[in-house]
Amino acid sequence: MGIDNIRGDTAAVPCSSQPSESIPGVGTVHWGGSAAIKSDKQQPGGVIYSIKGPGVDEEPLGIFSIDKFSGKVFLNAMLDREENDRFRLKAFALDLGGVTLEDPTDLEIIVVDQNDNRPLFRQDVFTGHVVEGAEPGTCVMTADATDADDPDTDNAVLRYSILEQGAAGMFSINATTGEICTARPGLDRETVGVYNLTVQAADMSGDGLTTTATAVIYLEDINDNPPEFTKEEFSMEVEEQATGVDVGKVFVHDKDLAGSPNWLAKFTILEGDPEGAFTIRTDPYTNDGVISVAKPLDHEVRDRFELTVSVQNEQPLEPTAPTSPRALATVRVRVRDVNEAPIFRENPRRVSVLEGAPPGTSITTYTASDPDTHQLQTLSYALLYDPADWLQLDPHAGTVRTKRELLHPSAFLQGGWYIALVLARDDAEPPLSATGTLSIEILEVNDHAPLLQPTAGVVCGRPGRGGRLLLGATDDDRPPHGAPFHFQLSPQHPQLTRNWSITRFNGEG
């Protein structure tokens, strides 16, 4: 049994492509519209033809049918090579009585591909990264596509191109692989940080169906821009005696990626602060330099500073980065004068006075000094603490005198010392004051005679054996004018030594 291809049969349903047709051998049809089978044992009464298999009586059903008398095979539905690229059928030839005239013939119908599928990119958006300043030829990503048509035909041969990327033309694409690489030098993140490319894939080696996708390329930052001060000079001021406070900021600008080590600034005070009165740190949020006071400043000693400050990045600059003329700045700091409290240079002040000193006795002149030498101020003095009301103080000169005699012993003495507090106050608005401690040592004077105890006594004794009387003494004075005592018989009465004697007993005589 043989097969005849039939072209242009109006009874056939055309394929969904434009098929070619050829008969490489008996039993195989490259479908082109219709075909016919013919038995080699044609009977005078006629032959009845039938076909069976997938596409006829097996899934998918009803695609092919045959004219049982002529043997013509018809296509009844649209063919899709991407679903079924071939059908293997069996053809039968029977006589009019239903007797098989010959063995069944294998009929293979091959569906010839046509270009009915567009290329498809694997994703709608491709994302890549490349460092700024990358050399031409640096590859970034591959934007590849697929085509469902026959890979052995030109229908699936793809070519890639870039439809849109901006005027600079910084990237190129490999026409056969879809690999995107840098095409020109000069990639600068600070000029253009993101490139959006429209890429195209076309089959038929670039002349067929097309599709597009987006390639987004991000430029990664390198340290190719030095930090720069926004101006050459900065001015600020701070109150004297302040410490640990922020004086002000020096402002910088860096074109590199904010928040990255390529952007983070580092400051140094190079000149103008030999005593280390100031420090500078980086504000992590703004990247500016913050100048603070490290040691108290004295307006009367130095009322202004001129600092030279430098700035650089935490990370080293790229060798190709330009140097900046604005890496140095001058910072002028004025120390503002403020009212300062008086100071007692000697505190506490220690002096001595004899006990029993009469009223009006000068003890000392206890004065303070005012650090505000550039301000015209007057100090006044007052007794802040005088527990025995013993002293009087000149409010202008600070001279301390006794107001009355201080009797001894006194409950206001602490180990022989009298403690008073003197207040010094300036006349500023508001006034400031200081307290000085005046420690007065009361020197002991031998102004009390010792008293015998007892003042009178009786001595009894047997004849020839004598008798004894134990004597003691007291003294209101303190050492060295009190105990220990020395006892003796009165030198005005030498005859007493004939019958009496004094002997020290248990530390006393």
Side-chain angles (χ1 to χ4, degrees):
M1 188 160 51
I3 303 173
D4 292 331
N5 283 315
I6 302 176
R7 291 178 177 273
D9 194 319
T10 57
V13 179
C15 297
S16 58
S17 59
Q18 297 296 324
S20 64
E21 65 180 299
S22 63
I23 306 178
V26 176
T28 300
V29 174
H30 291 259
W31 188 260
S34 63
I37 59 176
K38 184 177 181 181
S39 174
D40 296 331
K41 298 181 179 181
Q42 184 76 30
Q43 297 293 318
V47 178
I48 297 176
Y49 298 98
S50 65
I51 53 176
K52 292 184 179 181
V56 182
D57 58 349
E58 298 177 17
E59 292 291 343
L61 298 173
I63 294 179
F64 300 101
S65 62
I66 189 169
D67 185 309
K68 64 181 180 179
F69 297 112
S70 66
K72 290 182 178 180
V73 179
F74 295 96
L75 175 66
N76 302 318
M78 197 76 71
L79 294 177
D80 187 350
R81 189 201 68 82
E82 284 70 47
E83 290 186 8
N84 296 284
D85 63 349
R86 66 190 62 222
F87 296 87
R88 292 181 174 86
L89 308 178
K90 286 188 178 296
F92 300 89
L94 308 173
D95 62 15
L96 296 179
V99 177
T100 302
L101 297 177
E102 57 184 293
D103 293 335
T105 297
D106 291 330
L107 175 62
E108 184 177 42
I109 300 175
I110 298 175
V111 182
V112 180
D113 185 47
Q114 74 169 9
N115 192 20
D116 61 340
N117 289 280
R118 292 180 179 275
L120 292 176
F121 279 102
R122 297 186 185 275
Q123 55 198 71
D124 294 331
V125 179
F126 295 85
T127 301
H129 299 264
V130 65
V131 296
E132 60 175 329
E135 294 293 329
T138 303
C139 292
V140 182
M141 70 175 85
T142 298
D144 55 343
T146 60
D147 195 308
D149 290 319
D150 189 348
D152 296 327
T153 69
D154 204 33
N155 296 337
V157 177
L158 304 183
R159 292 293 181 266
Y160 299 93
S161 60
I162 298 177
L163 298 182
E164 178 62 41
Q165 63 168 314
M170 302 302 291
F171 298 92
S172 63
I173 189 168
N174 186 301
T176 57
T177 66
E179 188 174 35
I180 299 174
C181 303
T182 57
R184 297 174 56 187
L187 288 173
D188 186 2
R189 189 202 67 84
E190 288 73 45
T191 302
V192 179
V194 182
Y195 286 85
N196 290 280
L197 282 61
T198 301
V199 295
Q200 174 182 275
D203 59 18
M204 300 292 291
S205 297
D207 296 325
L209 302 176
T210 63
T211 189
T212 61
T214 300
V216 181
I217 301 176
Y218 294 93
L219 266 60
E220 295 181 347
D221 188 48
I222 62 174
N223 194 12
D224 58 345
N225 292 280
E228 297 180 329
F229 288 104
T230 58
K231 55 185 180 179
E232 295 179 354
E233 295 184 1
F234 296 86
S235 297
M236 52 194 70
E237 65 177 34
V238 63
E239 291 184 351
E240 64 174 331
Q241 301 305 323
T243 182
V245 299
D246 294 341
V247 182
K249 284 187 175 183
V250 289
F251 302 100
V252 296
H253 175 69
D254 194 315
K255 296 178 183 178
D256 291 316
L257 182 62
S260 71
N262 298 331
W263 172 83
L264 189 62
K266 179 173 62 176
F267 298 89
T268 306
I269 299 175
L270 298 178
E271 297 177 357
D273 184 24
E275 302 298 327
F278 298 94
T279 61
I280 187 168
R281 70 181 189 277
T282 303
D283 186 321
Y285 301 102
T286 66
N287 210 33
D288 300 316
V290 183
I291 295 180
S292 303
V293 179
K295 297 179 181 179
L297 304 173
D298 191 342
H299 171 84
E300 286 71 30
V301 175
R302 186 173 180 180
D303 63 354
R304 64 191 66 245
F305 291 81
E306 186 172 296
L307 311 176
T308 300
V309 179
S310 70
V311 63
Q312 62 188 89
N313 286 129
E314 290 283 355
Q315 292 293 324
L317 281 172
E318 291 291 322
T320 57
T323 58
S324 171
R326 306 190 74 168
L328 297 176
T330 299
V331 182
R332 292 184 170 88
V333 182
R334 187 176 76 87
V335 182
R336 190 167 64 248
D337 191 19
V338 297
N339 186 35
E340 299 172 77
I343 299 174
F344 284 97
R345 301 295 180 185
E346 183 184 352
N347 195 1
R349 166 72 66 83
R350 290 181 172 85
V351 295
S352 300
V353 65
L354 295 175
E355 68 169 328
T361 300
S362 177
I363 296 177
T364 187
T365 298
Y366 194 22
T367 58
S369 61
D370 194 335
D372 299 307
T373 57
H374 295 177
Q375 300 181 26
L376 297 177
Q377 295 181 357
T378 301
L379 300 184
S380 60
Y381 303 93
L383 284 170
L384 184 63
Y385 179 69
D386 180 17
D389 193 25
W390 178 48
L391 304 173
Q392 55 185 354
L393 175 64
D394 186 320
H396 305 294
T399 301
V400 181
R401 298 178 181 275
T402 60
K403 182 189 295 186
R404 57 185 178 80
E405 182 180 344
L406 182 64
L407 299 177
H408 184 76
S410 171
F412 299 105
L413 295 180
Q414 303 174 18
W417 291 83
Y418 184 82
I419 307 299
L421 299 180
V422 176
L423 182 72
R425 178 178 307 194
D426 62 25
D427 57 357
E429 273 301 326
L432 295 179
S433 61
T435 301
T437 300
L438 182 59
S439 298
I440 305 172
E441 182 182 20
I442 309 301
L443 298 177
E444 183 70 19
V445 176
N446 193 11
D447 55 351
H448 293 86
L451 298 176
L452 285 172
Q453 298 291 337
T455 57
V458 177
V459 178
C460 297
R462 296 179 183 177
R465 299 184 62 180
R468 294 183 179 183
L469 177 62
L470 184 61
L471 299 175
T474 60
D475 196 320
D476 289 338
D477 291 319
R478 293 181 302 160
H481 305 301
F485 302 107
H486 174 68
F487 296 86
Q488 66 179 13
L489 296 173
S490 175
Q492 284 80 21
H493 303 280
Q495 69 275 13
L496 293 176
T497 59
R498 299 175 184 172
N499 299 311
W500 301 93
S501 65
I502 295 179
T503 304
R504 184 174 297 278
F505 176 75
N506 193 26
E508 297 186 1

